Every structure is written in structure tokens, then in C-alpha cells.
CSV table of all heavy atoms in Angstrom, one decimal:
chain,number,residue,atom,x,y,z
N,13,HIS,N,0.8,-1.1,0.0
N,13,HIS,CA,0.0,0.0,0.0
N,13,HIS,C,0.8,1.2,0.0
N,13,HIS,O,0.5,2.2,-0.7
N,13,HIS,CB,-0.9,0.0,1.2
N,13,HIS,CG,-1.7,1.3,1.4
N,13,HIS,ND1,-1.4,2.3,2.0
N,13,HIS,CD2,-2.9,1.6,0.8
N,13,HIS,CE1,-2.2,3.4,2.0
N,13,HIS,NE2,-3.1,2.9,1.2
N,14,ASP,N,1.9,1.3,0.8
N,14,ASP,CA,2.8,2.4,0.8
N,14,ASP,C,3.5,2.7,-0.4
N,14,ASP,O,3.6,3.7,-1.0
N,14,ASP,CB,3.9,2.2,1.9
N,14,ASP,CG,3.3,2.2,3.4
N,14,ASP,OD1,2.2,2.7,3.5
N,14,ASP,OD2,3.9,1.5,4.2
N,15,LYS,N,4.0,1.6,-1.2
N,15,LYS,CA,4.6,1.7,-2.4
N,15,LYS,C,3.6,2.3,-3.4
N,15,LYS,O,4.0,3.2,-4.2
N,15,LYS,CB,5.0,0.4,-3.0
N,15,LYS,CG,5.9,0.5,-4.3
N,15,LYS,CD,6.4,-0.8,-4.8
N,15,LYS,CE,7.1,-0.8,-6.0
N,15,LYS,NZ,7.6,-2.1,-6.4
N,16,GLU,N,2.3,1.8,-3.5
N,16,GLU,CA,1.3,2.3,-4.4
N,16,GLU,C,1.0,3.7,-4.2
N,16,GLU,O,0.9,4.5,-5.1
N,16,GLU,CB,0.1,1.3,-4.2
N,16,GLU,CG,0.2,-0.1,-4.7
N,16,GLU,CD,-0.9,-0.9,-4.5
N,16,GLU,OE1,-1.9,-0.4,-3.7
N,16,GLU,OE2,-0.9,-2.0,-4.9
N,17,MET,N,1.0,4.1,-2.8
N,17,MET,CA,0.8,5.5,-2.5
N,17,MET,C,1.9,6.4,-3.0
N,17,MET,O,1.6,7.4,-3.6
N,17,MET,CB,0.5,5.6,-1.0
N,17,MET,CG,0.4,7.1,-0.5
N,17,MET,SD,-1.2,7.9,-1.2
N,17,MET,CE,-2.2,7.2,0.1
N,18,ALA,N,3.1,5.9,-2.9
N,18,ALA,CA,4.3,6.6,-3.3
N,18,ALA,C,4.3,6.9,-4.8
N,18,ALA,O,4.5,7.9,-5.3
N,18,ALA,CB,5.5,6.1,-2.8
N,19,LEU,N,4.0,5.8,-5.5
N,19,LEU,CA,4.0,5.8,-6.9
N,19,LEU,C,2.8,6.8,-7.4
N,19,LEU,O,3.0,7.5,-8.3
N,19,LEU,CB,3.8,4.5,-7.4
N,19,LEU,CG,5.0,3.5,-7.3
N,19,LEU,CD1,4.7,2.0,-7.7
N,19,LEU,CD2,6.1,4.0,-8.1
N,20,SER,N,1.8,6.7,-6.7
N,20,SER,CA,0.6,7.5,-7.1
N,20,SER,C,0.9,9.0,-6.9
N,20,SER,O,0.6,9.9,-7.8
N,20,SER,CB,-0.7,7.1,-6.2
N,20,SER,OG,-1.7,8.1,-6.6
N,21,VAL,N,1.5,9.4,-5.7
N,21,VAL,CA,1.9,10.8,-5.5
N,21,VAL,C,2.9,11.3,-6.6
N,21,VAL,O,2.8,12.4,-7.1
N,21,VAL,CB,2.5,10.9,-4.1
N,21,VAL,CG1,3.1,12.2,-3.9
N,21,VAL,CG2,1.3,10.7,-3.1
N,22,LEU,N,3.9,10.3,-6.8
N,22,LEU,CA,4.8,10.7,-7.8
N,22,LEU,C,4.2,11.1,-9.2
N,22,LEU,O,4.6,11.9,-9.9
N,22,LEU,CB,6.0,9.8,-7.8
N,22,LEU,CG,6.9,9.8,-6.6
N,22,LEU,CD1,7.8,8.6,-6.6
N,22,LEU,CD2,7.8,11.1,-6.5
N,23,ALA,N,3.3,10.1,-9.5
N,23,ALA,CA,2.8,10.2,-10.9
N,23,ALA,C,1.9,11.4,-10.9
N,23,ALA,O,1.9,12.1,-12.0
N,23,ALA,CB,1.9,8.9,-11.2
N,24,ALA,N,1.2,11.9,-9.8
N,24,ALA,CA,0.4,13.0,-9.8
N,24,ALA,C,1.3,14.2,-10.0
N,24,ALA,O,0.9,15.3,-10.6
N,24,ALA,CB,-0.4,13.0,-8.5
N,25,ALA,N,2.6,14.2,-9.5
N,25,ALA,CA,3.5,15.2,-9.7
N,25,ALA,C,4.1,15.2,-11.0
N,25,ALA,O,5.1,16.0,-11.1
N,25,ALA,CB,4.5,15.3,-8.5
N,26,GLY,N,3.7,14.2,-11.9
N,26,GLY,CA,4.4,14.2,-13.2
N,26,GLY,C,5.8,13.5,-13.1
N,26,GLY,O,6.6,13.7,-14.1
N,27,VAL,N,6.2,12.8,-12.2
N,27,VAL,CA,7.4,12.1,-12.1
N,27,VAL,C,7.2,10.6,-12.5
N,27,VAL,O,6.4,9.9,-12.0
N,27,VAL,CB,8.1,12.1,-10.6
N,27,VAL,CG1,9.3,11.4,-10.6
N,27,VAL,CG2,8.1,13.5,-10.2
N,28,ARG,N,8.0,10.3,-13.6
N,28,ARG,CA,7.8,8.9,-14.1
N,28,ARG,C,8.8,8.1,-13.2
N,28,ARG,O,10.0,8.5,-13.1
N,28,ARG,CB,8.2,8.8,-15.5
N,28,ARG,CG,7.2,9.6,-16.4
N,28,ARG,CD,7.3,9.3,-17.9
N,28,ARG,NE,8.7,9.6,-18.2
N,28,ARG,CZ,9.4,8.9,-19.2
N,28,ARG,NH1,8.6,8.1,-20.1
N,28,ARG,NH2,10.6,9.3,-19.5
N,29,VAL,N,8.3,6.8,-12.9
N,29,VAL,CA,9.2,6.0,-12.0
N,29,VAL,C,9.1,4.6,-12.6
N,29,VAL,O,8.1,4.0,-13.0
N,29,VAL,CB,8.7,5.9,-10.6
N,29,VAL,CG1,9.5,5.0,-9.8
N,29,VAL,CG2,8.6,7.3,-9.9
N,30,SER,N,10.5,4.0,-12.8
N,30,SER,CA,10.5,2.6,-13.2
N,30,SER,C,10.6,1.7,-11.9
N,30,SER,O,11.4,2.0,-11.2
N,30,SER,CB,11.8,2.4,-14.0
N,30,SER,OG,12.1,1.1,-14.2
N,31,GLU,N,9.7,0.8,-11.8
N,31,GLU,CA,9.8,0.0,-10.6
N,31,GLU,C,10.9,-1.2,-10.6
N,31,GLU,O,11.2,-1.5,-9.6
N,31,GLU,CB,8.4,-0.7,-10.4
N,31,GLU,CG,7.3,0.2,-10.2
N,31,GLU,CD,6.0,-0.6,-9.9
N,31,GLU,OE1,5.9,-1.4,-9.0
N,31,GLU,OE2,5.0,-0.3,-10.5
N,32,THR,N,11.3,-1.4,-11.8
N,32,THR,CA,12.5,-2.3,-12.0
N,32,THR,C,13.4,-1.7,-13.0
N,32,THR,O,13.1,-1.0,-13.9
N,32,THR,CB,12.0,-3.6,-12.4
N,32,THR,OG1,11.4,-3.5,-13.7
N,32,THR,CG2,11.2,-4.4,-11.4
N,33,GLY,N,14.7,-2.0,-12.8
N,33,GLY,CA,15.7,-1.6,-13.8
N,33,GLY,C,16.0,-0.1,-13.7
N,33,GLY,O,15.9,0.6,-12.6
N,34,GLN,N,16.5,0.4,-14.9
N,34,GLN,CA,16.9,1.9,-14.9
N,34,GLN,C,15.8,2.7,-15.1
N,34,GLN,O,14.7,2.5,-15.4
N,34,GLN,CB,17.8,2.0,-16.1
N,34,GLN,CG,19.2,1.3,-16.2
N,34,GLN,CD,20.0,1.6,-17.4
N,34,GLN,OE1,19.5,1.9,-18.4
N,34,GLN,NE2,21.3,1.7,-17.1
N,35,ALA,N,16.1,4.0,-14.7
N,35,ALA,CA,15.1,5.1,-14.7
N,35,ALA,C,14.8,5.4,-16.0
N,35,ALA,O,15.6,5.4,-16.9
N,35,ALA,CB,15.6,6.3,-14.0
N,36,PRO,N,13.5,5.7,-16.3
N,36,PRO,CA,13.2,6.2,-17.6
N,36,PRO,C,13.6,7.6,-17.9
N,36,PRO,O,14.1,8.3,-16.8
N,36,PRO,CB,11.6,6.3,-17.6
N,36,PRO,CG,11.2,6.4,-16.0
N,36,PRO,CD,12.4,5.7,-15.3
N,37,GLU,N,13.8,8.1,-19.1
N,37,GLU,CA,14.3,9.2,-19.4
N,37,GLU,C,13.6,10.4,-18.7
N,37,GLU,O,12.3,10.5,-18.7
N,37,GLU,CB,14.2,9.5,-21.0
N,37,GLU,CG,14.7,10.8,-21.4
N,37,GLU,CD,16.1,10.8,-21.4
N,37,GLU,OE1,16.8,9.7,-21.7
N,37,GLU,OE2,16.8,11.9,-21.3
N,38,GLY,N,14.3,11.1,-17.8
N,38,GLY,CA,13.8,12.2,-17.2
N,38,GLY,C,13.1,11.8,-15.9
N,38,GLY,O,12.3,12.7,-15.2
N,39,GLY,N,13.1,10.6,-15.5
N,39,GLY,CA,12.4,9.9,-14.3
N,39,GLY,C,13.3,9.4,-13.4
N,39,GLY,O,14.5,9.7,-13.3
N,40,LEU,N,12.8,8.6,-12.6
N,40,LEU,CA,13.5,8.0,-11.4
N,40,LEU,C,13.4,6.5,-11.3
N,40,LEU,O,12.3,5.9,-11.7
N,40,LEU,CB,13.0,8.4,-10.0
N,40,LEU,CG,13.1,10.0,-9.8
N,40,LEU,CD1,12.3,10.4,-8.6
N,40,LEU,CD2,14.5,10.4,-9.7
N,41,ALA,N,14.3,5.8,-10.9
N,41,ALA,CA,14.3,4.3,-10.6
N,41,ALA,C,13.7,4.1,-9.2
N,41,ALA,O,14.0,5.0,-8.3
N,41,ALA,CB,15.6,3.6,-10.8
N,42,TRP,N,12.9,3.0,-9.0
N,42,TRP,CA,12.3,2.8,-7.7
N,42,TRP,C,13.3,2.7,-6.7
N,42,TRP,O,13.2,3.2,-5.5
N,42,TRP,CB,11.4,1.6,-7.8
N,42,TRP,CG,10.8,1.4,-6.3
N,42,TRP,CD1,11.1,0.3,-5.6
N,42,TRP,CD2,9.9,2.2,-5.7
N,42,TRP,NE1,10.4,0.4,-4.3
N,42,TRP,CE2,9.6,1.5,-4.5
N,42,TRP,CE3,9.2,3.4,-6.0
N,42,TRP,CZ2,8.7,2.0,-3.5
N,42,TRP,CZ3,8.3,3.9,-5.1
N,42,TRP,CH2,8.1,3.3,-3.8
N,43,ASP,N,14.5,2.1,-6.9
N,43,ASP,CA,15.6,2.0,-5.8
N,43,ASP,C,16.0,3.4,-5.3
N,43,ASP,O,16.3,3.6,-4.2
N,43,ASP,CB,16.6,1.0,-6.2
N,43,ASP,CG,17.3,1.5,-7.4
N,43,ASP,OD1,17.0,2.3,-8.3
N,43,ASP,OD2,18.5,0.9,-7.6
N,44,HIS,N,16.1,4.3,-6.4
N,44,HIS,CA,16.6,5.6,-5.9
N,44,HIS,C,15.4,6.3,-5.1
N,44,HIS,O,15.8,6.9,-4.0
N,44,HIS,CB,16.8,6.5,-7.2
N,44,HIS,CG,17.2,7.9,-7.0
N,44,HIS,ND1,18.4,8.2,-6.5
N,44,HIS,CD2,16.4,9.0,-7.0
N,44,HIS,CE1,18.4,9.6,-6.4
N,44,HIS,NE2,17.2,10.1,-6.6
N,45,VAL,N,14.2,6.2,-5.4
N,45,VAL,CA,13.2,6.8,-4.6
N,45,VAL,C,13.2,6.1,-3.3
N,45,VAL,O,13.2,7.0,-2.3
N,45,VAL,CB,11.8,6.3,-5.3
N,45,VAL,CG1,10.6,6.8,-4.3
N,45,VAL,CG2,11.6,7.1,-6.6
N,46,MET,N,13.4,4.8,-3.1
N,46,MET,CA,13.5,4.2,-1.7
N,46,MET,C,14.7,4.7,-1.0
N,46,MET,O,14.7,5.0,0.3
N,46,MET,CB,13.6,2.8,-1.9
N,46,MET,CG,12.2,2.1,-2.3
N,46,MET,SD,10.9,2.3,-1.0
N,46,MET,CE,11.8,1.3,0.3
N,47,ALA,N,15.9,4.8,-1.6
N,47,ALA,CA,17.1,5.3,-1.0
N,47,ALA,C,16.9,6.8,-0.4
N,47,ALA,O,17.3,7.1,0.7
N,47,ALA,CB,18.2,5.2,-1.9
N,48,THR,N,16.4,7.6,-1.2
N,48,THR,CA,15.9,9.0,-1.0
N,48,THR,C,15.0,9.0,0.3
N,48,THR,O,15.4,9.8,1.2
N,48,THR,CB,15.4,9.7,-2.2
N,48,THR,OG1,16.5,9.7,-3.1
N,48,THR,CG2,15.2,11.3,-1.7
N,49,ALA,N,13.9,8.3,0.2
N,49,ALA,CA,13.1,8.3,1.3
N,49,ALA,C,13.7,7.8,2.6
N,49,ALA,O,13.4,8.5,3.6
N,49,ALA,CB,11.8,7.4,1.0
N,50,GLN,N,14.4,6.8,2.5
N,50,GLN,CA,15.2,6.3,3.7
N,50,GLN,C,16.0,7.4,4.2
N,50,GLN,O,16.2,7.5,5.5
N,50,GLN,CB,15.9,5.1,3.4
N,50,GLN,CG,16.4,4.3,4.7
N,50,GLN,CD,15.4,3.9,5.7
N,50,GLN,OE1,14.5,3.2,5.3
N,50,GLN,NE2,15.4,4.4,6.9
N,51,HIS,N,16.8,8.1,3.5
N,51,HIS,CA,17.7,9.1,3.9
N,51,HIS,C,17.0,10.2,4.7
N,51,HIS,O,17.3,10.6,5.7
N,51,HIS,CB,18.5,9.6,2.7
N,51,HIS,CG,19.3,10.8,3.1
N,51,HIS,ND1,20.5,10.8,3.7
N,51,HIS,CD2,19.1,12.1,2.8
N,51,HIS,CE1,21.0,11.9,3.9
N,51,HIS,NE2,20.2,12.8,3.4
């Protein structure tokens, strides 16, 4: 649920997130989102 919420908030802000692999052009990879949140 937390992951879905985070992805929803990021999508609403216009941020594209790849849940696996490399970040999409101009977006973020999920592991980067998680590392930033943990920090």
C-alpha cells in the first residue's frame, strides 16, 4: 500500500518511475526513490 501510494503521488506530480531496472528518461528508478525516502 505504501509503495502504491508513493507511486501515485509521484505520478500526480508528473514524475515517471521505473519499478524495476533503470530510470526512464527524465524519471527515477524505484531503488533511488526508496534510498531517498530512507535518507
Side-chain angles (χ1 to χ4, degrees):
H13 175 269
D14 295 335
K15 181 178 181 179
E16 290 171 356
M17 176 67 77
L19 290 170
S20 175
V21 168
L22 290 166
V27 178
R28 295 183 317 148
V29 178
S30 169
E31 293 185 56
T32 59
Q34 293 184 330
E37 184 70 31
L40 300 169
W42 179 247
D43 60 345
H44 176 77
V45 172
M46 286 294 299
T48 300
Q50 186 63 54
H51 173 74

